[in-house]
């Protein structure tokens, strides 16, 4: 992965707290494949921008703003995973592809993808039709 953005950090922190109840520097570093010193630096920036409160011995706590944005980023990630899965992207490619595109799409595009996912969910027959077209094109 390229150098993680502030959004990558916030997304990772939100997910860790959601799943484990806390986010340690070592866990953040491992998930983003960066050196712990980079994590510490970004945590200071996120603290300064009021996404979280960092206390050396108590760890970090997301502020209301941090929670709201973090949730939005995690929801976006999940939506894109769902979308790529629906259109037939192979399981082993999904996570990396989502990491690659999620920060580059406008919220306009995200909303349109959300609508498309909903469109497919409303009638499973639509997904079957899509899969049939894919098989047809693959066999050409
Ligand atoms: Co992500």
């Amino acid at each position: 992965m390229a150098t993680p953005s502030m959004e990558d950090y916030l997304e990772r922190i939100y997910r860790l707290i959601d799943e484990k109840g806390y986010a340690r520097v070592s866990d953040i570093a491992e998930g983003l494949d960066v050196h712990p010193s980079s994590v510490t630096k970004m945590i200071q920036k996120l603290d300064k921008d009021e996404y979280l409160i960092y206390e050396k011995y108590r760890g970090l706590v997301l502020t209301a703003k941090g929670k709201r944005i973090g949730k939005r980023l995690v929801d976006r990630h999940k939506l894109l995973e769902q979308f790529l899965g629906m259109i037939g992207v192979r399981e082993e490619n999904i996570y990396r592809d989502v990491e690659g595109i999620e920060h580059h799409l406008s919220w306009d595009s995200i909303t349109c993808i959300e609508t498309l996912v909903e469109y497919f969910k409303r009638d499973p027959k639509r997904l079957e039709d899509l899969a049939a077209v894919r098989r047809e094109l693959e066999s050409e």
Side-chain angles (χ1 to χ4, degrees):
M1 185 162 44
T3 310
S5 64
M6 198 168 108
E7 285 195 344
D8 285 311
Y9 279 93
L10 196 54
E11 183 187 338
R12 178 76 190 150
I13 291 166
Y14 184 90
R15 201 183 273 259
L16 281 168
I17 292 176
D18 197 37
E19 286 167 4
K20 305 171 73 170
Y22 55 88
R24 283 190 310 219
V25 169
S26 56
D27 293 328
I28 301 166
E30 192 189 299
L32 294 172
D33 202 17
V34 294
H35 196 268
S37 65
S38 309
V39 176
T40 308
K41 232 179 261 166
M42 183 58 85
I43 285 174
Q44 283 160 358
K45 185 172 162 37
L46 288 167
D47 184 310
K48 190 169 149 280
D49 293 346
E50 296 174 344
Y51 289 103
L52 55 80
I53 297 162
Y54 181 60
E55 286 168 31
K56 201 162 186 185
Y57 298 103
R58 289 183 49 206
L60 55 91
V61 182
L62 288 172
T63 60
K65 174 182 162 185
K67 279 184 198 159
R68 182 167 44 84
I69 308 287
K71 182 174 188 313
R72 211 173 169 208
L73 298 175
V74 169
D75 287 348
R76 179 178 66 184
H77 183 106
K78 288 180 183 161
L79 171 74
L80 291 172
E81 281 194 344
Q82 201 179 6
F83 167 63
L84 293 187
M86 270 183 167
I87 61 172
V89 176
R90 280 194 298 275
E91 190 68 38
E92 70 261 32
N93 294 322
I94 289 180
Y95 185 80
R96 214 193 51 205
D97 283 359
V98 170
E99 285 303 309
I101 63 173
E102 62 186 340
H103 306 300
H104 301 283
L105 296 174
S106 63
W107 288 100
D108 181 28
S109 288
I110 297 294
T111 304
C112 291
I113 289 171
E114 202 172 3
T115 308
L116 186 63
V117 167
E118 177 61 23
Y119 170 81
F120 281 122
K121 272 195 206 158
R122 285 192 184 183
D123 183 358
K125 180 79 176 54
R126 291 167 177 161
L127 275 180
E128 288 166 30
D129 286 347
L130 180 68
V133 172
R134 191 171 61 241
R135 280 194 299 275
E136 189 189 307
L137 292 176
E138 276 168 5
S139 68
E140 272 171 12

